[in-house]
């Protein structure tokens, strides 16, 4: 019984370290979204990892930065009044998009 109790702190430390590995198993994607008609930057554009709730919106300069889980496949860029785009992530980390 005492041997089992002595393993609990070790197990707790292992689980904490394992969770850090999952936290850092992410990639950061960045980019800018512009209007295809006049080239102006678009603030407030939704940038979402397809099939998840991971996302962000572009700032006043049309810029975004988003940490995505490893293995994410597609990025969905959308804004009211524009056609949305679904882009493959692959090994890309920078996305410059025109809507």
């Amino acid at each position: 019984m005492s041997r089992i109790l002595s393993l609990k702190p070790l197990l707790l430390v292992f689980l904490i370290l394992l969770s850090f590995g999952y936290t850092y198993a992410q990639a950061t994607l960045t980019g800018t979204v512009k209007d295809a008609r006049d080239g102006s930057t678009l603030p407030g554009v939704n940038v979402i990892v397809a099939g998840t709730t991971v996302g962000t919106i572009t700032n006043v300069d049309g810029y975004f930065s988003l940490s995505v889980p490893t293995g994410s496949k597609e990025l969905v860029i959308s804004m009211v009044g524009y056609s949305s785009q679904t882009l493959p992530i692959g090994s890309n980390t920078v996305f410059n998009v025109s809507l």
Side-chain angles (χ1 to χ4, degrees):
M1 178 78 173
S2 65
R3 179 149 171 84
I4 292 173
L5 291 177
S6 66
L7 290 177
K8 284 185 179 181
L10 183 60
L11 180 61
L12 180 61
V13 169
F14 176 74
L15 291 175
I16 290 171
L17 291 175
L18 185 64
S19 70
F20 281 125
Y22 178 75
T23 301
Y24 290 109
Q26 297 184 354
T28 300
L29 307 181
T30 61
T32 305
V33 182
K34 295 184 177 186
D35 187 311
R37 291 172 286 183
D38 63 11
S40 62
T41 57
L42 294 173
V45 176
N46 295 306
V47 180
I48 301 172
V49 177
T52 72
T53 58
V54 176
T56 190
I57 60 171
T58 58
N59 67 11
V60 293
D61 298 318
Y63 176 81
F64 70 89
S65 179
L66 177 64
S67 294
V68 300
T70 301
S72 299
K73 304 278 188 226
E74 296 178 323
L75 207 55
V76 179
I77 316 289
S78 64
M79 183 174 186
V80 174
Y82 293 84
S83 296
S84 64
Q85 290 189 26
T86 302
L87 306 170
I89 294 174
S91 61
N92 298 330
T93 57
V94 178
F95 292 84
N96 294 309
V97 182
S98 294
L99 291 182

